Amino acid sequence: MYLLGRLPTLRFMVPIALLLSCALCCHLAAQSCGSQGIALQVLGSGGPELQDKRASSSYLVWENGQARVLVDAGGGSALRFGESGATMSQLDVILFSHFHVDHSGDFVALIKSSWFEDRNRPLPIYGPPGNDFMPSTTEFVSELFGDHGAYRYLSELLVPGEGGTYLMQPHNVVAESTPITAFHSGDLTASAVRVIHGGVPALAWRVEIGGKSIVFSGDTNGDGSGLVRLATNADLFVAHNAVPEGATGVERKLHMPPSVIGQIAADAHVKNLVLSHRMLRTLGKEDQTQAEIRKHYSGPLTFANDLDCFPVK
Ligand SMILES: [Zn+2]
C-alpha cells in the first residue's frame, strides 16, 4: 500500500531518472568497456597541456572484462584508470612508448594504488632503452623504486627479498624497424619497433590479443619504415594527433602531421584509425585534420576522448 501510494510521485520522477541515466550513461558505458571480447579504452586522449582538460597519453586493452595491457601512463591517467573499473591486479603487462612526462608521469600513482591490492604475480614492464638524455626502462623504474630511488619506501615492489606482495620486472626493448616480440603470454603478444621522436628513444607497440591486433604509434615524426610494418593489417591503429598540418621546426621533428598519419594508415592497410594525444594546437582543427588524412586513408576514423571505448570486432 505504501508503494502504491507513492506511485504518482514516482511517475513525476521518471523524467528526472531519465535525465540522470543520460548523465551517467557514458560513465557506466566506460565501466563496462571490454566486458565481452577485445576492446581498447583510451584513458588519456590529451597531450602534456593541462588546459586541454584531458588526461595525458594512456591506453588499456581489455579482454572479457579483464584489463590486460596498459600502454603508457601520462598525467591524469591514474584517475582515469580507476574510473575505467580496472585494477592493477588484472594487468599482464605494462608497455611504455617512451619516458616523456606526458607518457609516464602517473606510473608511480598506479604502482602505489596496486600496493593496496593483493596482486601476487610479477608485473612485467617493457619500454625503450636509454641514452644520455633519457633513462632506460630499467633505470626509470629503479630510479623511482630501487633502494636509492625517489620512492624507495616502496622498494619491496622492485627489490627481490624485501618481501613485497609482488615484484615489478622491468625490461629494455632494443628494437629497430623490424618488429620484435617482447612479451608473450597465452593469447597475448606485444611486439615493438623503434620510432623516431627527436632524440628520445621511443617505441611503437603492437598488441595481439584474442586474435585481434591493436597498434599504438606512440609519439613519432613518422620517419622510417618500422611503423608501417608494425601496423600492417591492424584491426585498430592509435595515432597521435599532436601537430597540425604545416607544422615545422621542433614540433615536426617530434611529431607526424595528419598527412603522414593518413599515409601510414593507408600503407599499412589498417582497418580502423583512432586519433589521440590531442593538443591545444590540434583541438578545433578536426575538419582540417580529417581532410588531410582522407587524401590517403578512407577507412573509419575517430577523434578520441578520455574513457572512450573501442570494441575490436
Ligand atoms: Zn613524447
Side-chain angles (χ1 to χ4, degrees):
M1 287 300 290
Y2 177 71
L3 278 175
L4 283 174
R6 282 174 58 88
L7 274 177
T9 313
L10 286 172
R11 185 159 55 86
F12 288 115
M13 285 177 70
V14 165
I16 297 171
L18 275 176
L19 279 175
L20 278 174
S21 69
C22 288
L24 291 170
C25 69
C26 299
H27 190 60
L28 292 174
Q31 287 191 332
S32 63
C33 184
S35 59
Q36 289 187 323
I38 307 298
L40 166 79
Q41 187 160 32
V42 177
L43 296 183
S45 62
E49 305 149 301
L50 301 178
Q51 292 74 23
D52 62 24
K53 298 184 174 63
R54 295 160 184 270
S56 302
S57 278
S58 186
Y59 308 97
L60 270 182
V61 178
W62 290 88
E63 183 181 35
N64 297 328
Q66 297 288 308
R68 297 196 60 190
V69 183
L70 177 73
V71 180
D72 284 349
S77 64
L79 176 60
R80 296 285 184 253
F81 186 92
E83 290 173 327
S84 79
T87 65
M88 289 293 288
S89 298
Q90 294 171 336
L91 292 179
D92 287 82
V93 64
I94 295 178
L95 309 174
F96 279 109
S97 65
H98 64 298
F99 293 108
H100 274 157
V101 171
D102 56 319
H103 294 256
S104 61
D106 265 10
F107 173 64
V108 292
L110 289 163
I111 295 302
K112 177 59 189 175
S113 179
S114 79
W115 194 84
F116 295 91
E117 299 178 17
D118 55 358
R119 184 184 181 95
N120 51 22
R121 58 187 170 126
L123 176 57
I125 299 165
Y126 292 85
N131 61 13
D132 289 345
F133 184 56
M134 298 294 283
S136 67
T137 303
T138 52
E139 286 170 337
F140 177 76
V141 177
S142 67
E143 286 168 10
L144 292 167
F145 294 107
D147 277 335
H148 302 285
Y151 298 102
R152 53 189 174 272
Y153 80 105
L154 295 173
S155 63
E156 66 184 59
L157 296 173
L158 182 64
V159 181
E162 293 198 2
T165 54
Y166 77 93
L167 283 174
M168 288 181 267
Q169 293 181 332
H171 305 271
N172 303 329
V173 178
V174 181
E176 291 299 332
S177 58
T178 301
I180 61 165
T181 297
F183 177 80
H184 177 75
S185 174
D187 70 345
L188 168 60
T189 302
S191 13
V193 294
R194 174 176 173 249
V195 289
I196 307 304
H197 184 43
V200 179
L203 300 173
W205 284 101
R206 180 180 182 115
V207 173
E208 301 267 356
I209 182 168
K212 307 296 181 189
S213 52
I214 305 171
V215 173
F216 303 87
S217 73
D219 285 358
T220 176
N221 65 8
D223 285 358
S225 60
L227 185 52
V228 170
R229 294 166 81 171
L230 189 76
T232 295
N233 296 323
D235 292 301
L236 196 61
F237 178 42
V238 182
H240 283 183
N241 181 214
V243 296
E245 199 65 27
T248 57
V250 174
E251 289 182 10
R252 182 63 186 88
K253 285 200 173 97
L254 292 171
H255 295 291
M256 50 187 174
S259 58
V260 174
I261 294 174
Q263 190 67 59
I264 290 171
D267 290 349
H269 305 287
V270 304
K271 296 172 189 149
N272 199 344
L273 173 62
V274 171
L275 296 166
S276 188
H277 203 293
R278 304 170 66 189
M279 296 181 61
L280 296 180
R281 57 200 182 201
T282 51
L283 285 163
K285 295 182 180 163
E286 288 74 15
D287 288 348
Q288 178 199 341
T289 296
Q290 184 161 341
E292 291 295 337
I293 291 172
R294 285 284 178 237
K295 291 176 185 172
H296 308 277
Y297 166 80
S298 56
L301 180 164
T302 309
F303 289 91
N305 295 312
D306 286 12
L307 292 176
D308 276 358
C309 180
F310 297 89
V312 185
K313 291 168 185 156

